Amino acid sequence: KKHPFFEGIDWDTLHKSKPPQLDAYLPPISPDDKPLHGHDNDEMEELGMAAEYLQRAGSLDIKKVRRADEKAALLAKQAKESPWHSFLNAGELIIKTGLVDKRKGMFAKRRQLILTDTPRILYIDPETNTVKGEIPWSQEMFPQYKNMKTFFIHTPNRTYYLEDLERASITWVDTIQQLLRISKADVASTNV
């Protein structure tokens, strides 16, 4: 306890303090892949490019559709224009969708990832047009940006390793974070 490394630690209240959050260990999957932790100059440049992409793509600000007629109009437009509308529950709007490679172990499968306003995340096999699964939504989940192509969705029981084919993974992370904030605010307002 007297070693300089432990300087500043209050040993009497240590057992009451909150432990630091640990990131899941996810090793690089190819020789040119960067490690998850730490940032180098190339990665900081990628983050700057991603921020520019977000500005060019427009705001990802998600607002709730308050009026029934607004939502009905959006649902009608989605039913006409989106090939993924038939996979959704009644009254569900698509917030974001795109092709990703969903990695599990050594293998990756191409999936259409769909984020809805309920909120819900499902993935579909685009070749067979079948729903392959759903990422369970909870207040404990959190998205994590790794690089322009790769992002993770951590849930209490599993970490989903996803690669965005458009190399705009930060847009997925940002959109999921916004929906998490909205759903947390909704839970807080209903508990008041």
Side-chain angles (χ1 to χ4, degrees), residues 119 137-142 177-191:
W137 191 275
S138 73
Q139 295 302 315
E140 291 79 36
M141 76 182 290
F142 69 96
Q177 285 175 338
Q178 287 185 42
L179 273 175
L180 279 167
R181 282 191 294 273
I182 289 170
S183 63
K184 283 179 186 176
D186 288 347
V187 169
S189 68
T190 57
N191 289 339

Side-chain angles (χ1 to χ4, degrees):
K1 290 182 182 179
K2 295 185 192 285
H3 191 276
F5 178 78
F6 298 110
E7 188 176 318
I9 294 179
D10 184 0
W11 293 98
D12 296 331
T13 61
L14 182 64
H15 66 285
K16 295 178 184 177
S17 64
K18 184 178 177 184
Q21 183 174 340
L22 301 176
D23 290 328
Y25 172 71
L26 295 166
I29 56 171
S30 67
D32 61 336
D33 200 6
K34 296 176 188 164
L36 176 62
H37 304 288
H39 302 285
D40 60 15
N41 289 337
D42 290 341
E43 189 170 348
M44 294 310 285
E45 185 177 314
E46 281 184 0
L47 284 171
M49 289 170 27
E52 285 178 29
Y53 174 86
L54 281 174
Q55 289 173 348
R56 284 194 316 269
S59 174
L60 289 176
D61 205 17
I62 300 168
K63 61 180 180 182
K64 284 197 153 182
V65 178
R66 305 226 188 276
R67 296 185 348 225
D69 60 331
E70 263 183 58
K71 186 160 186 174
L74 290 170
L75 283 168
K77 182 180 178 185
Q78 177 179 282
K80 287 179 190 171
E81 297 175 4
S82 175
W84 312 112
H85 180 76
S86 62
F87 296 100
L88 305 180
N89 296 331
E92 217 171 16
L93 282 171
I94 295 173
I95 300 293
K96 182 164 177 56
T97 185
L99 281 174
V100 298
D101 284 334
K102 184 177 153 293
R103 292 200 165 275
K104 192 169 183 182
M106 300 268 306
F107 305 100
K109 294 187 178 177
R110 179 105 354 126
R111 298 291 182 243
Q112 185 72 28
L113 194 64
I114 300 173
L115 175 63
T116 70
D117 66 339
T118 51
R120 188 166 76 112
I121 304 172
L122 62 149
Y123 45 95
I124 297 168
D125 184 333
E127 291 180 15
T128 62
N129 278 338
T130 55
V131 175
K132 290 299 187 178
E134 189 170 324
I135 298 174
W137 191 275
S138 73
Q139 295 302 315
E140 291 79 36
M141 76 182 290
F142 69 96
Q144 181 183 11
Y145 173 86
K146 180 178 180 189
N147 56 43
M148 287 187 72
K149 186 177 178 183
T150 307
F151 67 103
F152 309 109
I153 300 176
H154 301 279
T155 65
N157 297 320
R158 181 173 165 194
T159 295
Y160 294 83
Y161 190 122
L162 304 159
E163 294 177 348
D164 183 21
L165 298 186
E166 294 180 357
R167 298 186 58 83
S169 66
I170 196 162
T171 62
W172 280 103
V173 171
D174 185 54
T175 307
I176 293 168
Q177 285 175 338
Q178 287 185 42
L179 273 175
L180 279 167
R181 282 191 294 273
I182 289 170
S183 63
K184 283 179 186 176
D186 288 347
V187 169
S189 68
T190 57
N191 289 339
V192 173

